[in-house]
């Protein structure tokens, strides 16, 4: 997902001017004028410094307020237990559509109230391993393609700030069946698809399909919503993060502040003015509101309202990258939700609905292929 986008040019220039003195022109020399790429790099570096300092402050403000995001346990006749049903993928046991629908409604109730819900065992351990291996291999290939000039960066990676040791790798749906296999388990064999449909309906549109990878050394992001709060409007976007390995505390788990998908919370979050000797409403909100950490076991997920405040924390591990496969679905009645999508252009152009995707995956699971996904795969660049 578009995770903390670049700041606007005027704001960046103001930030940089506060930190960087004007360079003297070398008298009598034939100095090469500063290139735009050099200016962009300089702006980016100064922007990162500001954000890193802010992230460190927010970490101090939130000290002692966080607890693990717990699985939402739902008991429905004919189902297993876990806060999900085991996703069919974890236990191999198929769960009836009626049971998944009942579970989805229960998760949706929590999601609407808190802005985030955890569902366990939505992706089997074996499939999570295959997906992680595919993502890390594709990342290396994509880096080589971009560095060689074969493709532009945005054809493989979504733009993300604090990009050192962190990337947002968009998924080439239709290029490898590991993606279709993963989507089939998560959307059709667990309650994830039913949870999203319970709120947005079967006509909701696939808006993002990507994987976030944060390596050791990646810095803590600033708290942010992915989309703004629109007065009088319901949620426009729901995102599902799926852990492709166990996420430990030192690996930079995502942190959410439940209940901040409201007008009141957004108004406070946007108020950075601090009275003399006091703190801003924004910092007070961050300091006093309990937060939850996405310490997700492999194959488990968190679904969240895009308006809910959250951030990726610093990966302080020695050797372990954290990979989160994710997708977002958008309300079909909404055009642009307020945040650029992390998705391959060809996949976005297809405007895939939840209903269409589930039908294609159902055909695939019966051995009849996935014609829609195949068409998209043939269009990929």
């Amino acid at each position: 997902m578009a995770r903390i986008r670049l700041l606007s040019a005027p704001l960046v220039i103001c930030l940089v001017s506060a930190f960087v003195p004007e360079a003297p022109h070398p008298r009598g020399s034939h100095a090469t004028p500063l290139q735009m790429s050099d200016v962009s790099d300089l702006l980016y570096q100064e922007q990162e410094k500001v954000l890193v300092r802010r992230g460190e402050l927010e970490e101090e403000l939130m000290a002692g307020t966080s607890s693990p995001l717990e699985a939402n346990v739902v008991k429905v006749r004919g189902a297993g237990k876990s806060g999900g049903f085991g996703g069919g993928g974890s236990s191999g046991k198929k769960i009836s559509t009626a049971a998944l629908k009942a579970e989805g409604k229960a998760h949706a109730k929590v999601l609407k109230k808190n802005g985030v819900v955890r569902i366990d065992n939505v992706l089997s351990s074996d499939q999570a391993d295959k997906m992680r291996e595919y993502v890390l291999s594709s990342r290396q290939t994509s880096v080589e393609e971009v560095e060689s000039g074969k493709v532009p960066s945005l054809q493989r990676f979504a733009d993300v700030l604090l990009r050192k040791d962190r990337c947002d790798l968009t998924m080439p749906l239709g290029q490898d069946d590991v993606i279709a296999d993963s989507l089939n388990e998560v959307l059709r064999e667990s309650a994830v698809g039913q949870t999203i449909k319970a709120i947005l309906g079967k006509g909701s549109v696939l808006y993002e399909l990507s994987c976030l990878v944060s390596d050791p050394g990646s810095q803590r992001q600033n708290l942010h919503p992915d989309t703004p709060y629109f007065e009088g409007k319901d949620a426009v976007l729901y995102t599902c993060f799926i852990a492709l390995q166990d996420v430990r505390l030192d690996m930079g788990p995502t942190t959410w502040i439940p209940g901040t998908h409201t007008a009141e919370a957004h108004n406070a979050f946007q108020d950075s003015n601090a009275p003399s000797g006091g703190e801003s409403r924004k910092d007070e909100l961050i300091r006093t509101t309990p937060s939850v950490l996405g310490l997700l076991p492999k194959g488990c997920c968190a679904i969240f309202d895009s308006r809910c405040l959250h951030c990726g924390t610093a990966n302080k591990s020695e050797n372990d990258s954290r990979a989160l496969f994710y997708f977002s679905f958008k309300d079909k009645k909404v055009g642009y939700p307020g945040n650029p999508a992390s998705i391959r252009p060809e996949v976005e152009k297809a405007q895939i609905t939840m209903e269409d995707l589930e039908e294609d995956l159902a055909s695939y699971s019966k051995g009849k292929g996935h014609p829609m996904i195949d068409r998209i795969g043939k269009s990929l660049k």
Side-chain angles (χ1 to χ4, degrees), residues 37-50:
S37 60
D38 297 326
V39 174
S40 297
D41 287 342
L42 181 60
L43 292 175
Y44 177 81
Q45 291 168 15
E46 294 304 325
Q47 189 178 177
E48 280 218 334
K49 291 178 183 178
V50 173

Side-chain angles (χ1 to χ4, degrees), residues 326-342:
Y326 76 93
F327 51 79
S328 301
F329 278 88
K330 178 177 68 73
D331 186 337
K332 66 179 180 180
K333 299 186 296 294
V334 175
Y336 179 62
N339 195 4
S342 295

Side-chain angles (χ1 to χ4, degrees), residues 45-119:
Q45 291 168 15
E46 294 304 325
Q47 189 178 177
E48 280 218 334
K49 291 178 183 178
V50 173
L51 292 175
V52 167
R53 287 198 293 270
R54 176 63 195 180
E56 291 171 346
L57 172 61
E58 291 181 353
E59 185 174 22
E60 293 176 5
L61 291 172
M62 297 175 72
T65 69
S66 294
S67 60
L69 175 62
E70 300 291 346
N72 185 44
V73 179
V74 177
K75 295 181 180 179
V76 177
R77 183 183 297 275
K81 61 179 181 180
S82 68
F85 285 138
S90 176
S91 64
K93 179 181 178 181
K94 298 295 182 180
I95 308 302
S96 72
T97 300
L100 290 177
K101 189 173 183 179
E103 187 193 358
K105 287 183 177 179
H107 291 315
K109 184 177 180 180
V110 174
L111 180 55
K112 292 179 73 173
K113 177 183 177 182
N114 296 338
V116 60
V117 66
R118 170 177 154 183
I119 308 177

Side-chain angles (χ1 to χ4, degrees), residues 21 29 45 77 87-88 94 107 111 116 174 182 193 217 253 270 283 289 295 303 321 347 349 355:
S29 71
Q45 291 168 15
R77 183 183 297 275
K94 298 295 182 180
H107 291 315
L111 180 55
V116 60
S182 298
Q270 292 166 9
D283 286 352
T289 311
L295 301 174
I303 306 176
S321 295
V347 182
K349 184 178 180 181
E355 181 178 30

Side-chain angles (χ1 to χ4, degrees), residues 138-273:
S138 295
R139 178 190 188 184
Q140 182 58 41
T141 300
S142 296
V143 167
E144 293 171 357
E145 289 177 332
V146 171
E147 290 181 346
S148 69
K150 182 178 179 180
V151 295
S153 180
L154 288 177
Q155 193 72 36
R156 296 291 182 267
F157 299 96
D159 198 8
V160 62
L161 203 54
L162 294 180
R163 61 187 176 223
K164 184 179 183 298
D165 302 314
R166 177 182 278 114
C167 79
D168 192 355
L169 177 68
T170 52
M171 293 288 96
L173 183 64
Q175 187 177 90
D176 193 300
D177 276 342
V178 68
I179 302 172
D181 289 332
S182 298
L183 287 173
N184 186 58
E185 283 193 16
V186 176
L187 290 176
R188 297 187 59 254
E189 297 179 359
S190 85
V192 169
Q194 295 293 345
T195 300
I196 295 173
K197 285 193 294 184
I199 303 175
L200 296 181
K202 63 183 180 181
S204 55
V205 178
L206 181 68
Y207 189 70
E208 298 186 293
L209 184 64
S210 195
C211 188
L212 282 169
V213 182
S214 62
D215 300 321
S218 60
Q219 299 281 359
R220 180 189 178 96
Q221 295 178 318
N222 294 177
L223 281 164
H224 62 282
D226 283 335
T227 59
Y229 184 92
F230 295 106
E231 194 63 43
K233 300 291 185 181
D234 293 327
V236 297
L237 197 71
Y238 283 98
T239 299
C240 179
F241 281 175
I242 304 140
L244 300 183
Q245 68 293 298
D246 291 342
V247 179
R248 304 188 310 269
L249 184 60
D250 65 342
M251 291 171 66
T254 305
T255 185
W256 291 270
I257 303 183
T260 54
H261 54 311
T262 65
E264 181 181 4
H266 276 237
N267 288 335
F269 187 72
Q270 292 166 9
D271 187 355
S272 300
N273 297 318

